[in-house]
Amino acid sequence: MTDERVAALESEAAGDPENPARYRALAAAWRRQGAEAEAMAAELAATALEARAPLALFNIATACFSAGRRAEAKRWYALALRLDPDLIVAHRNLAAILEAEGQLGEARRHRDEAYRRQSVFVEAATKVEAQRVLILAASGFGNVPIEALLPRATTTRITWFIDYAKDGEAERLPPHDLVFNAAGDPDMAEALLPEVWRFLARRTAPLLNAPESVAETQRHLLPQRLAGIGDVVVPRVARVARDALGDPGVAAAIGFPLILRPIGAHGGAGVRLIDSAADLAAADLGEAEACYLTAYCDYRSPDGYFRKYRVIFVDRAPYPYHLAISQHWLVHYFSADMLHPSWKRAEEARFLADPAATLGRKAMAALAAIGRRLDLDFCGIDFTLDPAGKLLVFEANATMAVHLRDAAETFPYKHVHVPKIFEAFETMLARRRVG
């Protein structure tokens, strides 16, 4: 069975998407190629179509989504929605996939379909309920990653998608002990609706991460926000609309080389180094209507590597989270290859065990001052040290991911130090719950 035959069967299924026979033929073709997972999904989809069971299709899609097979997940979510256009959770998950692919308009369409029908979702604690937390969330990307911070076992999570808040909805919210504003990316979170402002004005439960403080973490506001803190350097940065990229004054205010970052970019998507006015004027922002331009600083260490430290602030106190060491200026932990050579992990382990020994007294004092200045209950900062030992700040905001998914046998030190962040967060929640 050739790839061309599979492609032909795929095309036939796309043209006749609700015909179970198309998927059974496709399943047989995949099975002949040894692609058992794809074959099983197609076979199950055929059975679901025969039963006209959209939830079964949703379950197939979700299994593919969880396994990282996004293209298949998109197909089965779309098919589930053909059978039941009101399947809210399918719209939600499909929107997340489309947004990750940069298809922002299509993602917005599916979010609208979901959250205009329902904007409040309750997930009950799976074991013993210790707390009920109302989570104020934006419907797209840009929320604080909460999975490790608010564990399902002990937390009943009431998520309110506040960009779809309806008049009078705040009066019907379930009881809760705390309010956590998880809409942590000020570029992605829209202006709060009147219903949300009314709720915040009348609420009686403690609020974490006030929206006003989150709004001040936009990249172009950060230099002024951290101004006056000793031993801190924040590069020049400007927020620029798409149609202003050809303006000579824009580049002159920053200088070349500069880093272009589309608004809403996460994980380095669309980020590039720009060396000339011509390249800047021709830059493709994708679907973003604006971007950040940041002065580039060559922050290579003497050994030729680039280092990016991440520290998490819990109730304004700093906790070391990770150190990424890369040969490329755009450093992300997932692409830094911290497994090779092994000295990278040894250096990271030393940083987590004793950040003061790595960073120095002045840098630690600067971090403490930044935590107080940001005035957020949970946030993080990415930075490096310049040759003078000062903190060169890349970004500081509330959407920093914190998890413990790294294997204990490979990163044993993380399993010692990262849980301290979760413990500090839980201690803060307990303290706020009792007043």
Side-chain angles (χ1 to χ4, degrees), residues 312 319-322 345 348-355 402-404 411-424:
I312 299 299
Y319 295 83
Y321 175 62
H322 72 210
R345 280 172 291 150
E348 183 183 30
R350 291 194 297 273
F351 167 62
L352 294 189
D354 191 353
V402 179
H403 62 77
L404 194 53
F411 297 89
Y413 53 90
K414 289 193 175 187
H415 290 257
V416 173
H417 300 292
V418 173
K420 296 174 185 177
I421 299 173
F422 307 143
E423 292 163 8

Side-chain angles (χ1 to χ4, degrees), residues 167-232:
D167 287 345
E169 195 164 50
E171 313 246 341
R172 301 188 296 274
L173 291 170
H176 48 272
D177 310 309
L178 297 163
V179 181
F180 181 40
N181 174 36
D185 185 340
D187 293 319
M188 301 299 286
E190 299 178 1
L192 293 182
L193 295 172
E195 178 68 6
V196 181
W197 281 121
R198 285 192 290 270
F199 163 77
L200 291 173
R202 295 194 307 263
R203 66 176 174 78
T204 56
L207 171 67
L208 287 82
N209 275 15
E212 306 95 296
S213 295
V214 168
E216 293 177 349
T217 62
Q218 285 184 299
R219 288 175 183 266
H220 67 300
L221 302 179
L222 202 57
Q224 182 59 38
R225 182 70 172 155
L226 302 185
I229 299 178
D231 301 300
V232 171

Side-chain angles (χ1 to χ4, degrees), residues 139-156:
S139 59
F141 280 178
N143 289 307
V144 178
I146 62 169
E147 289 305 317
L149 299 174
L150 298 171
R152 287 286 311 279
T154 57
T155 305
T156 290

Side-chain angles (χ1 to χ4, degrees), residues 136 144 149 179-185 200 206-215 217 313-316 374-380 397-399 425 428 432:
L136 308 183
V144 178
L149 299 174
V179 181
F180 181 40
N181 174 36
D185 185 340
L200 291 173
L207 171 67
L208 287 82
N209 275 15
E212 306 95 296
S213 295
V214 168
T217 62
F313 297 103
V314 178
D315 202 8
R316 296 149 191 84
L374 292 174
D375 196 28
L376 287 165
D377 301 284
F378 175 87
C379 64
N397 58 58
T399 60
F425 192 81
M428 176 182 65
R432 300 294 177 86

Side-chain angles (χ1 to χ4, degrees), residues 219-227 229 231-237 294-295 297 370 381 391-395:
R219 288 175 183 266
H220 67 300
L221 302 179
L222 202 57
Q224 182 59 38
R225 182 70 172 155
L226 302 185
I229 299 178
D231 301 300
V232 171
V233 177
V234 186
R236 296 183 303 279
V237 57
T294 305
C297 300
I370 289 172
I381 183 170
L391 257 68
L392 175 61
V393 177
F394 301 134
E395 62 176 316

Side-chain angles (χ1 to χ4, degrees), residues 19 92 230 307 322 327 353 360 415:
N19 185 342
R92 286 179 61 183
R307 285 164 169 79
H322 72 210
Q327 292 180 302
H415 290 257

